[in-house]
Amino acid sequence: MIKIEGKLEKVVVEADELKNHIGNIVQIHGSIYKIRKMSDFAFVLLRTKREIVQCIYTKEISEFPLEELEEESCVIVSAYVQEESRSKTGYDLKIKNINVLSAPEASSPIVINNKFVDTSIEKLLDFRPITLRNEKERAIFKIQEGIVDGIREFLKKERFTEIRTPKIVYAGAEGGANIFRLEYFGRNAYLAQSPQFYKQMMVGVYERVFEIAPVYRAEKHDTSRHLNEYTSVDFEMGYINSFEEIMQTETMMLRYTFQYLEKNYEPEIKLLKINLPFVHEIPAVKFTEAKELIAKEYHKEITDFDDFEPEEEKLLCRWIKERTGSDFVFVTGYPSKKRPFYAMENKENREETLSFDLLFRGLEITTGGQRIHSYREQIEKMKRRDMDIEQFESYLMMHKYGMPPHGGLGLGLERFTSKLLEQENVRFSTLFPRDINRLVP
Amino acid sequence: MIKIEGKLEKVVVEADELKNHIGNIVQIHGSIYKIRKMSDFAFVLLRTKREIVQCIYTKEISEFPLEELEEESCVIVSAYVQEESRSKTGYDLKIKNINVLSAPEASSPIVINNKFVDTSIEKLLDFRPITLRNEKERAIFKIQEGIVDGIREFLKKERFTEIRTPKIVYAGAEGGANIFRLEYFGRNAYLAQSPQFYKQMMVGVYERVFEIAPVYRAEKHDTSRHLNEYTSVDFEMGYINSFEEIMQTETMMLRYTFQYLEKNYEPEIKLLKINLPFVHEIPAVKFTEAKELIAKEYHKEITDFDDFEPEEEKLLCRWIKERTGSDFVFVTGYPSKKRPFYAMENKENREETLSFDLLFRGLEITTGGQRIHSYREQIEKMKRRDMDIEQFESYLMMHKYGMPPHGGLGLGLERFTSKLLEQENVRFSTLFPRDINRLVP
């Protein structure tokens, strides 16, 4: 029997610690990202956990031939941290020696170490395990990590409890045909379109809950904004006075998240030239008014009275941006027939729900609203819709045995990230996208 | 157009703020958890986000008949915070008035407001939306939240990047028949058994990564320790010198997590009487030695030379606990034939892998090890196993274009939670369990 101690001997230094070692020889590890040969020396860029570290190969100091270095080799570098006032970092990192831990079998068929990966989106995604090694590509998903952390920190501060609910479910929450079916020990099961039922149940337990997890939509649309598996940031809160409280909470959450990014992700913000929106307040327009406004302002004929066309979302955002400066706009009061059975209706106009979407730079990123909490009201609405009430017995249990007024929202993480980064396609902000044509890698 | 401001007017106070309002009348909301009638007054327990708050109904102060109060009603209580030195909190909360926001349609068929829910596990789970409202039941999942937060905080401190990888996959990572099949637009797809392939790919990008997400095993076993959907805490780290580094990192992670719980989850630790293990170092025994040891010490005949039986895991833990005081034990050097194709073999004994399991209080909660990083070595091993190499082209891309030595682990969150809480069944630590018989709620 041996004993595993809870400590790691650390001999290498981290990229952001180099400045504390000026005048010393240090060891640092990473992948050789790029070798740039100059007349009598070479820049050797080392890809570390978060930073690309510039090392210098020079004949005076380096004790091996430059040819021994190969891009995408994994190495431990011994280097002299030489004070250098002309350098941005305050030092030059001069390579003395290297220890090659592993070398690639072949060179990447795609150039990954330029400013950006210059290829088609298909190839970018086909070679995802490699193209993600590009400095900008990987920065996208550091930002995404930061968005999630910012949101989580905000929600915890607001006393939400984080939950984990099943993705294999017995019934779809959102209705419609876009649901994946699964063989489950001889029975039919489905992949969750949203954690809707479960997060509502958990409001009865913790009052405020959130979940950040995958959801599944069997969308056949092959568009720049659809994914078949995406990350949904869901929260649900009890004891609300109105559905506006949900929008207020989202406004606070967005503001907090952008501040969090500004504070903790400066290198990636600079690298990706991210234009962080300032969120003080967000305009809100009613769905019907927005429809009319777009028709009038942009001379567009209304063809679908119950929903937005993608073009209309873009035009509305343009109009709002020009008038108010806001990158965001809430649209409220969606028609009842377009919203799920659990949506609460406006008591003064049953055709309309107490619901909203949030549009960001031309794209819907959030759907939310108040839910029905009264058992009788929910049963009646389900009957009006000819739904099989028995199938939803375990869902309706919470209504039956007592639920506070409540509501919440779901925010699509990849859409949000891609709009923040002003990308043309949501796939650019998805690590390994799933769409009607893509299941690999 | 209206403007949604990023703020919420707050009139109610939170349970943990009451002590700052002594001498005042406050409003507080929650569900009426329990009404306990005494001779001339009543205790009214209010379930709030995290605390059960004791209020007092007395004829002198309360301005309404007690009969208006109903368990599981959602209410806003106006109450006088009266200084009371004999009370643990330093005050009594005397109800003046209530505003009933919603009332249940029926009384719960199961008593949920006693010290624990006294029913069968089947009923406990059938009525999950209601039984989770029990004080102890919901405390379990606060602890689980704390475990995840502690782990996340530790891993971030150690410079791991959090990732989100797809759960709809083109091939199983772990092999075997226990994989769920899915119809994916006319093709076969599967539910991920683990994020193995993706976390390895991401080591090539960020060096250290982790993911906390659902995984799927189509296990037909109906046992106290199997779930068909569970939460896997996965991390993977590059530039390791040995597979022991992974065990060291896990030891550090466990110690940190228990300290995190102690600091942030005291109320739940007390309520559930949790016996937090102290983790300084963890004993490690080789698989073959452990097998022999159990056979010798407990006079058990070895029937399976390649794997543990559940009984053997329990006996090994008992032996370790008696000899060393440790609640944990690493078992190392599992046979190659029982480990997946990506497991690195011991160069001195090819029959054995550089892998480990971690057992906690009689149950395996972690599997980990070093992975093959050399393209040629991986291809050779796959050929020896008669695997279809072409199918794994996108996985092998990382090996081909350069990977550091690396390894990692997966920890089953529900198993870990249930053993920490000394429960007999992993379902007690699963919010909405999925097993061969259960898909609802």
Side-chain angles (χ1 to χ4, degrees), chain B residues 213-228:
Chain B
V215 295
Y216 302 89
R217 305 283 169 106
E219 296 279 0
K220 286 183 180 158
H221 310 319
D222 186 16
T223 77
S224 63
R225 59 189 204 288
H226 283 97
L227 293 168
N228 294 105

Side-chain angles (χ1 to χ4, degrees), chain A residues 205-223:
Chain A
V205 176
Y206 294 125
E207 192 181 315
R208 292 182 166 192
V209 295
F210 72 104
E211 179 167 16
I212 302 167
V215 296
Y216 302 89
R217 305 282 169 106
E219 296 278 1
K220 286 184 180 157
H221 310 321
D222 186 15
T223 76

Side-chain angles (χ1 to χ4, degrees), chain A residues 258-364:
Chain A
F258 293 138
Q259 285 166 353
Y260 184 91
L261 286 176
E262 201 170 7
K263 195 173 142 203
N264 298 293
Y265 288 84
E266 201 202 333
E268 289 81 10
I269 289 171
K270 275 191 179 164
L271 181 68
L272 298 171
K273 299 190 176 71
I274 299 173
N275 175 12
L276 280 183
F278 173 73
V279 181
H280 171 60
E281 53 184 17
I282 295 180
V285 287
K286 284 206 110 178
F287 174 74
T288 46
E289 289 165 18
K291 273 286 202 184
E292 283 160 22
L293 188 152
I294 301 161
K296 198 176 118 240
E297 291 285 326
Y298 298 101
H299 311 292
K300 279 202 49 110
E301 207 185 329
I302 302 176
T303 53
D304 182 350
F305 284 86
D306 300 327
D307 216 341
F308 280 125
E309 292 165 53
E311 179 65 14
E312 289 174 315
E313 293 187 346
K314 285 191 185 125
L315 291 173
L316 177 62
C317 284
R318 195 170 114 189
W319 190 86
I320 291 285
K321 177 76 178 173
E322 285 167 7
R323 294 307 179 285
T324 71
S326 175
D327 284 324
F328 292 92
V329 55
F330 283 114
V331 180
T332 62
Y334 279 83
S336 200
K337 61 179 155 187
K338 280 287 177 180
R339 291 284 178 164
F341 70 95
Y342 52 76
M344 189 178 268
E345 286 158 0
N346 185 342
K347 298 286 170 290
E348 281 140 38
N349 173 11
R350 288 271 172 198
E351 303 288 294
E352 189 185 290
T353 51
L354 299 178
S355 71
F356 65 92
D357 276 6
L358 178 66
L359 311 187
F360 176 34
R361 294 178 178 166
L363 187 67
E364 178 244 301

